[in-house]
């Protein structure tokens, strides 16, 4: 991560942390992470893009890492988060008419809204995971997920403020994060109300084997940030879906 600069910027009523690298006049690539990620998700892409002359900018989205985390989930609608990004582009893109956009998971969802609301700012969008889905005016999103996948579908389980946060704390945030980043279970993500994350805290969690592409150092970084900021900010995106 050598040469990556970090700074705090004021956007849309909050303070946002961003990581950036590349020539100041280079074309901007805005990198949007998902849940439960951080700017750190893009550490390799930041260096790779900057070596090609792009200016890579990766924020901690509102509710994550070192950015502000409003308490109410009503402050995590697409209008709130896109407002953050529009203000961020006004700050980092200077006189550039358009930027490139890359989004993963929630970053992809917000990326689609940014393209819809402010297409004049986007030169191209690379969506890595979530395709565009238009809203069904007859069925609210959470209601639709519950009808198809049941009450224990992860998005449904995330809805009650404080509930899942307590379950994550009981299971050990390190194990929760490790399982999310390295799990390969097929089928829709289901979180049963009994033992949703695989058991009690593991006293040997420091010795858990990780894949080659995800080191203990990487896991330590995520754990340190989420232990400090908590998971509520990230979960509030799911709680605002019906809004």
């Amino acid at each position: 991560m050598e040469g990556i600069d970090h700074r705090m910027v004021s956007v849309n009523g909050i303070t946002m942390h961003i990581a950036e690298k590349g020539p100041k006049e280079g074309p901007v690539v805005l990198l949007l992470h998902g849940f439960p990620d951080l700017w750190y998700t893009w550490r390799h892409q930041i260096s790779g893009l900057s070596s090609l002359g792009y200016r890579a900018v990766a924020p901690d989205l509102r509710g994550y890492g070192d950015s502000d985390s409003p308490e109410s989930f009503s402050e995590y609608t697409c209008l709130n988060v896109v407002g953050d990004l529009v203000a961020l582009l006004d700050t980092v893109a200077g006189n550039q008419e358009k930027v490139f956009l890359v989004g993963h998971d929630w970053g992809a969802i917000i990326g689609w809204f940014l393209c819809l609301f402010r297409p004049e700012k986007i030169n191209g969008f690379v969506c890595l995971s979530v395709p565009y889905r238009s809203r069904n005016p007859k069925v609210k999103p959470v209601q639709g997920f519950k009808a198809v996948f049941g009450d224990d579908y992860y998005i449904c389980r995330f809805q009650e403020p404080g509930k899942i946060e307590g379950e994550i704390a009981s299971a050990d945030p390190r194990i929760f994060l490790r399982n999310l980043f390295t799990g390969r279970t097929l089928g829709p993500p289901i979180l049963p109300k009994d033992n949703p994350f695989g058991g009690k805290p593991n006293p040997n969690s420091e010795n858990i084997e990780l894949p080659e592409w995800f080191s203990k150092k990487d896991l330590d970084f995520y754990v340190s940030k989420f232990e400090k900021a908590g998971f509520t900010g990230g979960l509030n995106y799911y709680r605002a879906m019906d809004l």
Side-chain angles (χ1 to χ4, degrees):
M1 297 190 292
E2 182 178 352
I4 297 179
D5 296 322
H6 298 266
R7 61 181 170 127
M8 308 297 291
V9 295
S10 296
V11 297
N12 194 29
I14 68 167
T15 299
M16 174 176 280
H17 165 254
I18 64 171
E20 57 186 340
K21 185 177 182 180
K24 293 297 182 183
E25 301 304 320
V28 169
V29 181
L30 181 62
L31 302 160
L32 306 179
H33 66 79
F35 176 86
D37 294 317
L38 301 162
W39 74 267
Y40 188 84
T41 300
W42 306 107
R43 58 198 179 280
H44 302 302
Q45 287 75 21
I46 290 172
S47 295
L49 288 166
S50 65
S51 71
L52 297 174
Y54 294 95
R55 184 182 176 196
V57 178
D60 282 333
L61 295 174
R62 70 162 54 203
Y64 287 92
D66 295 318
S67 294
D68 284 349
S69 183
E71 183 176 350
S72 173
F73 67 81
S74 65
E75 297 185 68
Y76 290 80
T77 69
C78 56
L79 296 176
N80 295 110
V81 184
V82 169
D84 297 345
L85 299 177
V86 171
L88 175 62
L89 290 178
D90 289 342
T91 300
V92 302
N95 295 324
Q96 294 187 30
E97 292 185 1
K98 296 185 177 183
V99 304
F100 293 99
L101 178 66
V102 181
H104 165 64
D105 189 65
W106 264 108
I109 296 173
I110 297 302
W112 287 117
F113 282 114
L114 178 56
C115 291
L116 284 170
F117 296 163
R118 300 300 297 271
E120 76 280 2
K121 289 186 171 291
I122 307 302
N123 196 36
F125 178 32
V126 179
C127 172
L128 295 182
S129 55
V130 183
Y132 174 71
R133 296 188 180 99
S134 59
R135 295 180 72 89
N136 183 341
K138 297 181 180 180
V139 181
K140 290 186 177 181
V142 176
Q143 177 186 355
F145 287 126
K146 185 175 294 187
V148 175
F149 299 114
D151 292 344
D152 290 344
Y153 186 59
Y154 77 108
I155 291 176
C156 303
R157 292 274 276 111
F158 285 175
Q159 293 303 307
E160 183 179 347
K163 177 69 173 178
I164 205 71
E165 289 94 326
E167 295 180 12
I168 292 171
S170 296
D172 185 345
R174 175 176 292 272
I175 292 176
F176 171 72
L177 289 166
R178 181 212 62 183
N179 289 347
L180 278 182
F181 287 135
T182 65
R184 289 294 181 271
T185 303
L186 299 178
I190 300 297
L191 297 178
K193 295 178 179 63
D194 181 29
N195 195 25
F197 302 118
K200 298 178 180 179
N202 185 344
N204 299 313
S205 59
E206 292 296 325
N207 300 319
I208 292 172
E209 184 176 355
L210 296 169
E212 293 181 0
W213 50 266
F214 191 73
S215 69
K216 179 180 179 297
K217 179 181 178 182
D218 297 330
L219 181 58
D220 288 343
F221 184 89
Y222 282 101
V223 171
S224 68
K225 292 299 181 182
F226 279 100
E227 284 184 339
K228 177 182 177 182
F231 290 90
T232 297
L235 292 166
N236 276 342
Y237 285 73
Y238 296 94
R239 293 165 183 160
M241 291 184 82
D242 283 351
L243 302 180

